[in-house]
Amino acid sequence: MLNTPLAAFPITAQSASGHAEGVSNDDFRAAMSRLAAGVVLVTAQEPPLDPDDPSAPGGEDVGMTATAFMSVSLDPPLVMVSLRTGARMDDLLDEQPLWGVSVLSESQRHIAGRFAMKGRISDRLLFEDIPYARGEATGAPLVRGALATLECRTEQRVVAGDHTLVIGRVLTASVPSADGGPLAYFRGRYRQLG
């Protein structure tokens, strides 16, 4: 079966919504919820309101919880995050090429939940009581106590359905904490391994 030409497989009819027949949003969501994923906080700093004026206020820090994050390449070091097209982070990373990633530990579930809320308050308030350091290469907030942190520069953006795949070159990578296990997302809930 491995060497069977693609022409030997039948073409599946498409419904009006573009899904293969029989595949509903609910069916797809339920199936994909069975895939365990790590949880990260993607962060970036908005550009200053007036880059030519050094006294102009800087832009706000923005954060977003993501589970669709993965390593893409070792040489060069590349990672990818999937962002809902038109989301605030998608719009920001379209104009700001520098961003950070904090791999959250099992004790940081509250951070994941805070930055995943819909209709949330301003990001400035969300960062208020979270300990973080500014990345040296990007200026993005990197969560203290995270299992790992990465700083990235966007190399490529690929529109894929209702999401944008943002591929970033890793500029820095560190493992600041070895305490605890990873925060995982499985069947619609944050979980601990073990």
Side-chain angles (χ1 to χ4, degrees), residues 154-176:
T154 300
E155 293 272 309
Q156 188 176 3
R157 292 172 53 86
V158 178
V159 175
D162 59 3
H163 277 62
T164 303
L165 308 178
V166 180
I167 299 170
R169 180 180 293 255
V170 178
L171 305 174
T172 69
S174 65
V175 183

Side-chain angles (χ1 to χ4, degrees), residues 17-35 68 82 160-163 165 185 187-188:
S17 69
H19 292 303
E21 281 187 19
V23 179
S24 70
N25 288 349
D26 290 341
D27 290 344
F28 181 66
R29 188 176 289 117
M32 294 311 297
S33 76
R34 278 19 179 214
L35 177 64
S82 178
D162 59 3
H163 277 62
L165 308 178
Y185 192 73
R187 294 184 74 175

Side-chain angles (χ1 to χ4, degrees), residues 104-115:
L104 299 180
S105 74
E106 59 195 2
S107 66
Q108 295 174 320
R109 179 185 301 209
H110 64 289
I111 296 173
R114 178 182 293 192
F115 285 90

Side-chain angles (χ1 to χ4, degrees), residues 15-194:
S15 68
S17 69
H19 292 303
E21 281 187 19
V23 179
S24 70
N25 288 349
D26 290 341
D27 290 344
F28 181 66
R29 188 176 289 117
M32 294 311 297
S33 76
R34 278 19 179 214
L35 177 64
V39 182
V40 301
L41 183 67
V42 179
T43 55
Q45 189 176 43
E46 290 180 328
L49 297 176
D50 184 356
D52 297 328
D53 180 1
S55 64
E60 188 174 81
D61 291 325
V62 178
M64 183 200 88
T65 302
T67 56
F69 176 79
M70 63 182 282
S71 167
V72 173
S73 168
L74 184 61
D75 185 19
L78 299 174
V79 293
M80 184 204 73
V81 64
S82 178
L83 307 173
R84 186 175 42 78
T85 302
R88 184 170 184 202
M89 186 61 74
D90 179 43
D91 292 342
L92 176 55
L93 293 190
D94 194 29
E95 65 177 85
Q96 163 62 282
L98 300 174
W99 43 286
V101 176
S102 300
V103 179
L104 299 180
S105 74
E106 59 195 2
S107 66
Q108 295 174 320
R109 179 185 301 209
H110 64 289
I111 296 173
R114 178 182 293 192
F115 285 90
M117 290 186 310
K118 292 181 179 167
R120 62 191 194 206
I121 57 177
S122 83
D123 283 44
R124 180 180 49 79
L125 296 175
L126 294 179
F127 279 105
E128 204 166 69
D129 63 345
I130 294 175
Y132 66 87
R134 292 232 173 256
E136 292 181 20
T138 63
L142 301 172
V143 177
R144 293 193 189 278
L147 296 179
T149 60
L150 305 164
E151 291 184 90
C152 307
R153 181 185 66 237
T154 300
E155 293 272 309
Q156 188 176 3
R157 292 172 53 86
V158 178
V159 175
D162 59 3
H163 277 62
T164 303
L165 308 178
V166 180
I167 299 170
R169 180 180 293 255
V170 178
L171 305 174
T172 69
S174 65
V175 183
S177 173
D179 296 338
L183 181 61
Y185 192 73
F186 180 69
R187 294 184 74 175
R189 293 180 49 206
Y190 296 118
R191 314 248 181 184
Q192 294 175 242
L193 294 183

